[in-house]
Amino acid sequence: MKKLLLWLTALLAAVGLGILAPGPASAASYCSLEWGSLAKTSPGMSTASVTNVRTGQQPCFDRLVVDLNGPATGYTVRYVPEIIQDPTGFTIPVYGKARLQVVVNAPSYDQNGNVTYNPAAKAELSNVAGYQTFRQVVYAGSFEGATSIGLGVRARLPFRAFTIDGPGSGSRLIVDVAHSW
């Protein structure tokens, strides 16, 4: 009994002196995502064309996918005050408190001018009802070798952008927007 009491006293003294105190709180962000909200850019023009735009939900983020029929080499994704339509310069209204302009350095037409992506509903490329972060996905045009997509989001949240190969000889631009900071 004396040994147990002695050990308990030593343990309480160690905690009181800070020897066995818990470490500092982790600086890791929500879901271990360490993204920011500044522009993401990859230079270069693609010889591929945009063929589809789709969305999906993940436990920690909502995802936008732009499919291309060849290698993706360049893009710019950034928060903007408003989504601008190419080439007219008109503002496109978008639901949400923040807007991401997604520009893929690839046209929505092939080298002969044939359309490779022509959405039926330019104001709603994908139904995002019930998504935690996305509010609306709009087609903002394709001009001079670049295709623009507007993404309305709940708030200015962290995001990432990257390309991956496949399926086949195609590729994809991925834009993930976190559900929270």
Side-chain angles (χ1 to χ4, degrees):
M1 186 67 154
K2 279 188 170 187
K3 281 187 178 183
L4 179 61
L5 189 55
L6 183 62
W7 277 105
L8 186 56
T9 303
L11 180 63
L12 289 173
V15 169
L17 293 173
I19 297 171
L20 293 178
S26 172
S29 60
Y30 174 78
C31 285
S32 297
L33 304 177
E34 296 183 10
W35 309 336
S37 62
L38 298 178
K40 312 310 189 256
T41 302
S42 176
M45 294 301 288
S46 181
T47 58
S49 299
V50 173
T51 59
N52 193 26
V53 175
R54 53 198 166 91
T55 59
Q57 299 178 70
Q58 302 294 324
C60 296
F61 55 86
D62 290 346
R63 172 169 280 180
L64 173 76
V65 179
V66 180
D67 294 315
L68 294 104
N69 61 7
T73 56
Y75 59 84
T76 299
V77 182
R78 64 188 177 106
Y79 280 103
V80 294
E82 50 193 24
I83 301 299
I84 304 299
Q85 182 182 41
D86 288 333
T88 66
F90 294 133
T91 299
I92 300 173
V94 179
Y95 295 124
K97 292 186 178 177
R99 289 150 210 72
L100 276 170
Q101 181 98 35
V102 178
V103 179
V104 185
N105 295 347
S108 294
Y109 47 85
D110 64 18
Q111 63 263 18
N112 298 320
N114 301 313
V115 175
T116 58
Y117 178 64
N118 187 19
K122 292 180 176 20
E124 188 175 351
L125 298 184
S126 181
N127 182 355
V128 293
Y131 280 49
Q132 193 166 342
T133 298
F134 290 176
R135 296 296 179 255
Q136 188 177 8
V137 185
V138 300
Y139 183 72
S142 186
F143 184 67
E144 294 184 345
T147 300
S148 294
I149 298 157
L151 181 57
V153 295
R154 180 174 49 81
R156 187 179 174 125
L157 294 164
F159 71 94
R160 68 178 175 173
F162 59 96
T163 60
I164 56 175
D165 293 334
S169 62
S171 63
R172 294 166 275 174
L173 168 64
I174 310 289
V175 179
D176 294 334
V177 183
H179 292 161
S180 180
W181 273 97

